[in-house]
Each structure stands twice: as structure tokens, then as C-alpha cells.
Amino acid sequence: MVRRAYISASSHWVPEKVLTNFDLEKLVDTTDEWIRTRTGIEERRILGAGKATSDMAAEAVKALCKQRGIDPKEIDVIVVATVTPDMFFPSTANLVQEKVGAKNAWSFDVAAACSGFLFGLNIGAQFVQAGTHNKVVVVGADKMTSITNYRDRNTCVLFGDAAGAVLLEPSEDDDIGLLDFMLHSDGSGAEYLMLKGGGSLNPASLETIANDWHFIYQDGKSVFKFAVTKMAEVAVNILERNNYSGKDIKMLIPHQANLRIIDGTVKRLGIDYDKVMININKYGNTTAATIPLALSEAYQQGKLDKGDLVLFATFGGGFTWGSGLVRWGLDNPVKK
Ligand code: ACO
């Protein structure tokens, strides 16, 4: 018998401050109309100075523990997926461990850009499946505004700040839980989406600052082409591998980078839009946070029932991409 991991709680946290497309019209040469039609984004959340990724992640983890009714000391492992760690080291996961009082957990970060949460979820699931750990927290959190250049209209309209988290525990029902993952990397895509400065190749200097290398660089068109193909392909492939098709899934929870990329996946799966969780209009691209944030909203809005088949699909910098298939294990909090 497989010792399967299941999601026993699902939470998120977003900052209160909203940056609308109309606010951005005042900063760069853009329009609300361009942003909405090219990306699907209407507004995004901004954390502001003095607070960091670990603060958002810690709030999401506190909410997770409250929802499940556990003390943070019961957590065994904390995995934080992020490309905007508070610092290079210590890990953001360690800062979260301290902030929530998870004294008995060990903790580390995962970096796979927008695919970070799914990569982290697969890692977290292994700890539970191996029988070595019983309560594993996986967080996706990014303060994208800390690496966004508000002079570059190509990128500044896209990103926002958020955190989402799940708790993984052993499933008592063999059919419920994390069923399968398909994860991929292609390092030849590295050049299209990156943070050039501040690492060991280009340590922070007056030159890296002058070149804006501390901000996201993206060749949007190249990333778009790859993303729209790969995210759809991997979503179809994981369903096929498990003898399912689009009609079997209750909900697709895609990475929210661009509504047109999500469109591509929806069409390939042949599903209706009422089966797709979309909140890119409210939050923009929050990188590692998009999937746990969308999952948490879907769960809390009563869109998921115990036994539903949920499909995750993502694409991100690296390139990285993948999908995950979950048989949902929580009762609907709205119907209760
Ligand atoms: N407002 C107005 N015009 C703009 C803006 C803006 N905010 N941004 C770009 N434009 C202009 C461009 O300058 C260009 O003008 P030109 O033709 O005169 O040169 C024109 O609009 C078209 O630009 P494109 O880049 O072709 O626009 P496109 O339709 O491709 O949309 C976008 C750009 C939204 C970035 C899209 O390419 C995209 O979504 N790419 C993928 C993003 C993604 O999935 N990233 C991966 C995850 S992120 C992560 O991992 C961290």
C-alpha cells in the first residue's frame, strides 16, 4: 500500500495595498486596456518597504495552522519556494520557522521560479510518502515588487506580491491525496528570464545597479511561446498517464502569468472555463505563490468537494514547468 500525502489545509496571505492598472498608467507608458487585453491583469498587491517574503509566508503558515487546529511546534519540515528570498542566506524557510514558532521543524528553500511551488510540493510529498515525516508545510511566496523595475513597462505591469501554503499529512484513504507529478527543466531557456545581478556571476556593484541587473529581465515573446506550448502539453500528458481526460477533472489550477497562456491549456484540455480557477485579474503574477493562492481561494470559496480531481499546471523561469494531479481530501467549508 502506498503511504500517500494529502493536502490537509490550504491558506494564503496577500498585502492590503492595491496597485491598479490606472496607477501604472501614471508610472509608465501603458494603458489599462493594453494590460487587461494582453495579460488579463487588472490589479496586483504590493507589500511595501520594510516587510519581506518571509513575513507574507509566515502569515500564510499561521493561517494554515489555525485552519488545521495544530500548534506550529507540530510541524516537521517547512519548504519555501521563492525567487525573492529575504536574503541569499539564511533561507527564507528558516526565517519563517522562527516567525511562526515552528521550533521542531527543519527548513529550506526551493528555487524554480513560477514552478517552485509544484517542485516543492513534490519534495514535500516524498517526506510523507517515505514515512519519515507527518506534517510538512510547503509555501510558495514572492515579493516580486522587490525585483520589479517600475521604469520598464514590459515587466512592471505583470507582477505582484503574495504567499500561499499547504500542509501535507499522510492520507488515511488510499484514493485521496497527491496522485502524480510531471516536472521538467530546460536550462537553455535561462537566457530569456532572469535576474542578472547580485549572484556569484555578477556580484552587486555600481555597474550592476547602473545596468538595472537587480531587476527582472524577460524576453516576453520567447517566454510566451514556450510557456503556451509546454504548460498545455504537460497538463495533457499527466492526465493521459493516469488514464484521465479533461472531462474527469473538477478544476484546473494553472500558474497565473498571462490569461492567454491559460487559454492555451484550457483549449488543449477541452474543458469549460467554469472548471478553471482564475484570479490573475486581482493579483497578477505572484510567481511561486500563484498556485497555492489560487488553490486556497478555490477551497475557501467552496469550489472544491472531497474526492474532486484537481489538476495543477505551471511554467516558469529556468525554464521550468510541470503539472500535478490531486484527489482533493477536504470537506467543502461553504457547504458544511
Ligand atoms: N503597455 C503598452 N505597451 C506595451 C507594454 C505595456 N505594459 N508592454 C509591452 N508593450 C509593447 C511592446 O513594447 C511592443 O511594442 P512594439 O511592437 O512597438 O515593440 C508591443 O507592446 C508588443 O509587445 P510584446 O512583447 O509582443 O507583447 P505580448 O503580446 O507578447 O505581451 C507579455 C507581453 C505580456 C510579457 C507576454 O509576452 C507574456 O505574458 N510572456 C510570458 C510571461 C511568462 O509566462 N513568464 C513566465 C513566468 S514568470 C517567472 O517565472 C518569474
Side-chain angles (χ1 to χ4, degrees):
M1 199 184 96
V2 185
R3 190 186 197 255
R4 209 183 280 295
Y6 88 111
I7 295 173
S8 59
S10 165
S11 67
H12 68 272
W13 190 88
V14 294
E16 268 177 34
K17 190 164 185 258
V18 173
L19 185 72
T20 67
N21 291 350
F22 298 103
D23 295 329
L24 285 164
E25 284 183 356
K26 293 173 200 143
L27 295 177
V28 287
D29 181 15
T30 192
T31 60
D32 168 61
E33 209 260 334
W34 191 96
I35 304 169
R36 265 189 302 105
T37 54
R38 304 309 292 162
T39 71
I41 302 166
E42 291 163 24
E43 57 187 45
R44 66 289 289 141
R45 300 298 178 99
I46 304 292
L47 186 60
K51 291 280 179 189
T53 298
S54 70
D55 294 301
M56 296 190 293
E59 291 304 324
V61 175
K62 282 183 208 162
L64 199 65
C65 292
K66 195 168 167 218
Q67 189 185 106
R68 183 66 178 134
I70 61 163
D71 190 296
K73 291 190 191 70
E74 294 177 52
I75 300 170
D76 298 320
V77 186
I78 301 175
V79 184
V80 174
T82 187
V83 290
T84 51
D86 292 24
M87 294 166 259
F88 269 155
F89 68 89
S91 73
T92 300
N94 264 50
L95 304 174
V96 172
Q97 186 245 18
E98 170 63 16
K99 282 178 183 168
V100 304
K103 290 288 177 203
N104 298 309
W106 60 283
S107 41
F108 62 95
D109 289 357
V110 170
C114 298
S115 308
F117 177 76
L118 274 198
F119 281 34
L121 195 64
N122 191 15
I123 295 166
Q126 312 284 339
F127 291 126
V128 175
Q129 282 165 16
T132 51
H133 301 78
N134 288 322
K135 286 189 171 52
V136 178
V137 168
V138 182
V139 185
D142 269 303
K143 184 184 179 186
M144 292 306 287
T145 58
S146 68
I147 54 169
T148 298
N149 182 353
Y150 286 96
R151 284 174 278 115
D152 176 15
R153 70 175 182 173
N154 291 295
T155 52
C156 77
V157 301
L158 303 174
F159 297 100
D161 304 331
V166 297
L167 180 64
L168 300 178
E169 293 184 72
S171 173
E172 285 172 10
D173 180 340
D174 218 18
D175 298 328
I176 295 284
L178 307 182
L179 305 180
D180 196 12
F181 288 93
M182 270 188 179
L183 304 174
H184 299 281
S185 295
D186 180 354
S188 70
E191 63 184 285
Y192 302 111
L193 181 49
M194 67 171 94
L195 193 72
K196 278 187 196 172
S200 56
L201 180 62
N202 302 301
S205 66
L206 290 177
E207 193 197 350
T208 63
I209 303 280
N211 289 335
D212 283 340
W213 288 355
H214 52 298
F215 292 128
I216 301 159
Y217 164 80
Q218 177 171 254
D219 171 352
K221 224 172 242 170
S222 302
V223 178
F224 186 93
K225 270 189 218 151
F226 213 83
V228 82
T229 316
K230 291 296 177 187
M231 197 164 96
E233 191 178 278
V234 75
V236 167
N237 287 348
I238 199 170
L239 286 180
E240 278 177 10
R241 183 157 86 180
N242 289 273
N243 298 317
Y244 292 123
S245 71
K247 69 176 176 353
D248 297 306
I249 60 169
K250 172 71 175 291
M251 184 150 287
L252 166 68
I253 302 196
H255 172 52
Q256 320 267 323
N258 188 318
L259 200 51
R260 292 183 293 135
I261 296 174
I262 296 173
D263 265 336
T265 303
V266 171
K267 286 196 182 102
R268 276 287 295 279
L269 289 172
I271 57 173
D272 291 334
Y273 253 94
D274 59 1
K275 283 187 168 185
V276 190
M277 184 61 196
I278 289 174
N279 58 10
I280 189 173
N281 53 318
K282 293 193 292 178
Y283 303 119
N285 183 352
T286 57
T287 302
T290 63
I291 289 181
L293 169 60
L295 176 68
S296 173
E297 285 203 331
Y299 166 59
Q300 286 171 21
Q301 290 167 10
K303 293 182 173 170
L304 296 175
D305 291 297
K306 193 169 181 174
D308 284 345
L309 194 61
V310 180
L311 175 63
F312 299 131
T314 191
F315 185 88
F319 292 136
T320 54
W321 68 102
S323 57
L325 200 55
V326 173
R327 184 68 70 183
W328 191 245
L330 294 174
D331 289 326
N332 188 323
V334 174
K335 286 187 191 162
K336 253 199 288 195

